[in-house]
Amino acid sequence: MDLSYSPEDIAFRDEVRAFLAEKLPKDTAEKIRNGEELGKEGQERWHALLNEKGWLAPNWPKEFGGAEWNAVQRHIFEEECAFANAPRIVPFGLSMLAPVLQKFGSKAQCDHYLPRILDGTDWWCQGYSEPGAGSDLASLKTRAVREGDHYIVNGQKTWTTLGQYADWIFCLVRTDPDAKQQEGISFLLIDMATPGVEVRPIILLDGTHEVNEVWFTDVKVPVENLVGEENKGWTYAKYLLTHERTNIAGVGASAAGLDAVKRMARAEMSGGKPLMQNPQFAARIAQVEIDLMAMSTTNLRIISKAAVGQAPGVEASMLKVKGTIIRQEINDLARRAAGPYAMPFASEMVEGDNDPIGPDYAGPVAAQYFNYRKLSIFGGSNEIQRGIIAKVKMGG
Amino acid sequence: MNFDLTEERQMLQDTLRRFLKDRYTTENRNKIIESEAGFSADIWTGLAELGVIGALFGEDHGGFGGAGFDIAVVFEELGRAGVVEPFLDTAILGGGLIAALGTDDQQAMVEQVIGGGLHLAFAHGEPTSRYDLSRVQTTAKAEDDGIVLNGRKAVVANAEAAGHLIVSARESGAADDEAGISLFLVPAEAKGLTLRGYPMLSGGRAAEVTLDDVRLPTSARLGAAGDAFGAIATQVAAANVALAAETLGAMETATELTRDYLMTRKQFGRPIGTFQALAHRFSDLLIELEQARSAVINAAGHLDTADRDRQIASARNLIGRAGRLVAEESIQMHGGIAMTQEYELAHIAKRIVMNDHRFGDTDYHLERFIALSAA
Ligand SMILES: Cc1cc2nc3c(=O)[nH]c(=O)nc-3n(C[C@H](O)[C@H](O)[C@H](O)COP(=O)(O)OP(=O)(O)OC[C@H]3O[C@@H](n4cnc5c(N)ncnc54)[C@H](O)[C@@H]3O)c2cc1C
């Protein structure tokens, strides 16, 4: 047992810090810090800078152009990025689709799609959920019917994150309506520019346009866009879902968030003293910090057990549940810390008037508190994760 | 003991509920929130005509209510419907302060408020005062025959619509002293008064208010010089009853929406409410809701008693905790749908949580409770 970083780890951390200091665009970091939407260009700029450095795909094997970092390195990178207010890389192509293609896709698919994910040619989004199929994903209804060299797709996906920017969507579709639910599903890659694909915005409760409905009306998809075998999509989807969960603990984001709360609490005055010295608030912060210290080690324990390119099992569910509880608690603390200045709706400010209304840290915190309620809903809700833990541990 | 509403209050509740059910739909409200004014003049007049504002004032001020339970009944209904119109600011705070301190001339404004013809705003909190009620650094200085105000007021709700701002300012004493604080009626068009308006996350609008050599006649003073703190504390106590009741009403709606959704949303071939993991948590919300209801009754029933402040601190602490639980759990048990602006719960949850940022949050009221209990 050794809890300290090795000299190589420390050298790596310094390298990451230097890179972030030099390359992370200041305006990008500023936007992330203020909880502003980065937009497509902002995301693409950071994506390109990481790709140039060869750091875009920490989880990919080297043969596909990945960094193949070990668990500690990934942890360090995640943490440093969070502290520097680097944007989170949009995961759909890089960490969701790519592992599936690498394991189940054809050589032609890997050769075509993977480089385009790295160089940013294709922006991917995830078409799993439907209005009637959320937690019960296998009940999905979007139909794909084979007609010659094409599938004809009809149906609707929803909650499609950043679908408004996407060039491609990977979808779960029903190819055999007569088979048992899980056995009639296929994994299909669809070009968003195909006639019959329509994207409609959904505005979230904090006023952001982050998710969409995606409608398919007689959309013609070439059969070579099928990943793996027909009606085996559920297996691939489950594989992908475990990958979706690997980074879900969000330890880096929590650490950075807690740091920000402390800064706020030192600046805010309550009863003539900094809020940080208020025993109740200090206790709230300490409580979360204690949880996070343990969580950080749990995270390292779990991810270092899993080999590169592999996802942990039931422990991933544990990380997700505890990790999101901690992150949401930190968001709650930030909202509290801001006091009355949490009330203004910063993103709705008069155009051209960019001065913060209260202290600059207060602007985004309440909106973020609401937005981050999503953390315990998506990627397999915390209830579903608890169900998985219980089922696995009780041998079900 | 009798926990039933009086006949009058029951009628008020029924009328108000019916009016809001018809007129204050999710769609209408979302339009109102996005409008430039941030509230609906039609709804305001409609409710004034129903007597909703009159219910918040005593008979000696032209109203027909004004007791803690009148406030609670009205605000619970406003909360149920997620109403964003500024009843708290214009009536309870603005109108209430004038009713408590005003000269006969000034009292005329209360009549206008009750009729729905005048808006007011209470400009008290300052950029660094947080929830400290006695921390006032805006100054009032006698000069020539009048008074000159200088300072800044933070997050003043309804400031832009207000015909008059009721501004607190210090005439003597140190920044945190209760003594030395006065109130002034500042007309919206006063020279040296600047507003920077913005919408709020849970609806309605507020403004940052700058007072730069605002000159007033001494007749603009509300009550005796340096002696306004008691009246401020009393009106803020009433505002806290209103906020607690409003939050309670919103919690009722949140749990009702959640119940309906749990019974109708199907996953894995059955209503999600049949999953015990959700059913038990839903039951917990109902238990907390009844606790919150009792807390509001305690606070409203003690508004005119010596135990007022401790009861109010207790109610707002409990409702802060229970409210957060109800808001977060309701969203969670709905799943993605609750995250959308279009869905009723989104606004209701925002109301519940953001009410914790007015006149003291959960922690502030816990500290008050500890201090007052020790006293
Ligand atoms: C901001 C956001 C972004 C998203 N992005 C995407 C995306 O890009 N692509 C995509 O495909 N999807 C996306 N999703 C969808 C997300 O994966 C679903 O919201 C999630 O699967 C839950 O489904 P649901 O919302 O339909 O809720 P439901 O499944 O209807 O669940 C409602 C409630 O019931 C609970 N529940 C359900 N079943 C059980 C059970 N058996 N036991 C106990 N409790 C249960 C749930 O935990 C939840 O609390 C996103 C969602 C959000 C909010």
Side-chain angles (χ1 to χ4, degrees), chain A residues 92 96 125-137 157-163 170 204 210-211 244 371 373-384 387, chain B residues 261-262 265-268 270 272-273 275-278 281 329 331-339:
Chain A
F92 305 114
M96 295 189 190
C125 65
Q126 179 189 25
Y128 274 26
S129 307
E130 297 180 4
S135 299
D136 183 14
L137 189 56
K157 295 294 174 181
T158 193
W159 310 122
T160 320
T161 298
L162 301 183
F170 56 89
L204 292 186
E210 188 176 301
V211 296
E244 188 177 351
N371 183 282
R373 300 315 305 170
K374 70 188 174 190
L375 297 177
S376 48
I377 295 172
F378 64 19
S381 75
N382 283 11
E383 289 72 32
I384 294 301
Chain B
Y261 199 75
L262 289 174
R265 170 68 168 173
K266 282 196 179 135
Q267 289 288 275
F268 306 99
R270 53 197 251 206
I272 56 174
F275 296 119
Q276 206 169 50
L278 301 187
R281 281 156 65 189
E329 287 283 76
I331 293 175
Q332 181 66 26
M333 290 195 275
H334 271 81
I337 185 79
M339 295 290 300

Side-chain angles (χ1 to χ4, degrees), chain B residues 189-273:
Chain B
E189 60 281 359
K191 254 185 82 183
L193 177 74
T194 342
L195 307 186
R196 183 180 174 215
Y198 46 80
M200 290 190 283
L201 187 64
S202 57
R205 291 181 64 86
E208 297 303 286
V209 174
T210 310
L211 300 133
D212 189 9
D213 281 336
V214 173
R215 280 165 211 282
L216 302 168
T218 50
S219 61
R221 193 189 276 114
L222 197 54
D227 202 23
F229 186 80
I232 292 174
T234 301
Q235 261 1 90
V236 167
N240 274 319
V241 169
L243 283 164
E246 193 207 323
T247 311
L248 169 67
M251 287 162 68
E252 287 164 15
T253 300
T255 47
E256 283 165 22
L257 288 166
T258 303
R259 183 200 55 208
D260 292 351
Y261 199 75
L262 289 174
M263 289 169 64
T264 49
R265 170 68 168 173
K266 282 196 179 135
Q267 289 288 275
F268 306 99
R270 53 197 251 206
I272 56 174

Side-chain angles (χ1 to χ4, degrees), chain A residues 130-137 139 159 202-207 268-272 275 278 280-281 284 328-329 332 335-345 348-350 353-357 366-367 369-374 376-377 381-384 386, chain B residues 34 126-132 135 152-155 176 196-202 208 265-269 277-278 281 324 327-329 331-342 346-347 349-351 353-354 356-358 361-364 366-367 370:
Chain A
E130 297 180 4
S135 299
D136 183 14
L137 189 56
S139 70
W159 310 122
I202 299 174
I203 303 302
L204 292 186
L205 79 177
D206 61 335
E268 278 289 315
M269 297 296 284
S270 171
L275 184 60
N278 176 297
Q280 279 199 79
F281 201 80
R284 282 188 189 275
Q328 290 177 333
E329 190 61 29
D332 180 70
R335 172 183 67 74
R336 277 173 208 276
Y341 273 122
M343 290 192 285
F345 191 9
E348 287 277 304
M349 296 231 325
V350 205
D353 182 0
N354 288 322
D355 284 351
I357 290 161
Y369 161 85
F370 287 106
N371 183 282
Y372 284 127
R373 300 315 305 170
K374 70 188 174 190
S376 48
I377 295 172
S381 75
N382 283 11
E383 289 72 32
I384 294 301
R386 289 188 181 100
Chain B
E34 277 160 29
E126 300 184 356
T128 61
S129 64
R130 202 173 164 89
Y131 304 121
D132 302 336
R135 188 168 181 85
R152 248 193 87 182
K153 295 292 179 179
V155 201
D176 291 307
R196 183 180 174 215
Y198 46 80
M200 290 190 283
L201 187 64
S202 57
E208 297 303 286
R265 170 68 168 173
K266 282 196 179 135
Q267 289 288 275
F268 306 99
L278 301 187
R281 281 156 65 189
R324 179 188 169 201
E328 293 182 353
E329 287 283 76
I331 293 175
Q332 181 66 26
M333 290 195 275
H334 271 81
I337 185 79
M339 295 290 300
T340 64
Q341 194 158 61
E342 263 183 18
H347 173 73
K350 283 190 270 183
R351 274 321 268 194
V353 173
M354 297 317 289
D356 205 42
H357 292 258
R358 290 204 79 180
D361 64 7
T362 311
D363 288 353
Y364 169 88
L366 183 61
E367 261 171 56
I370 292 169

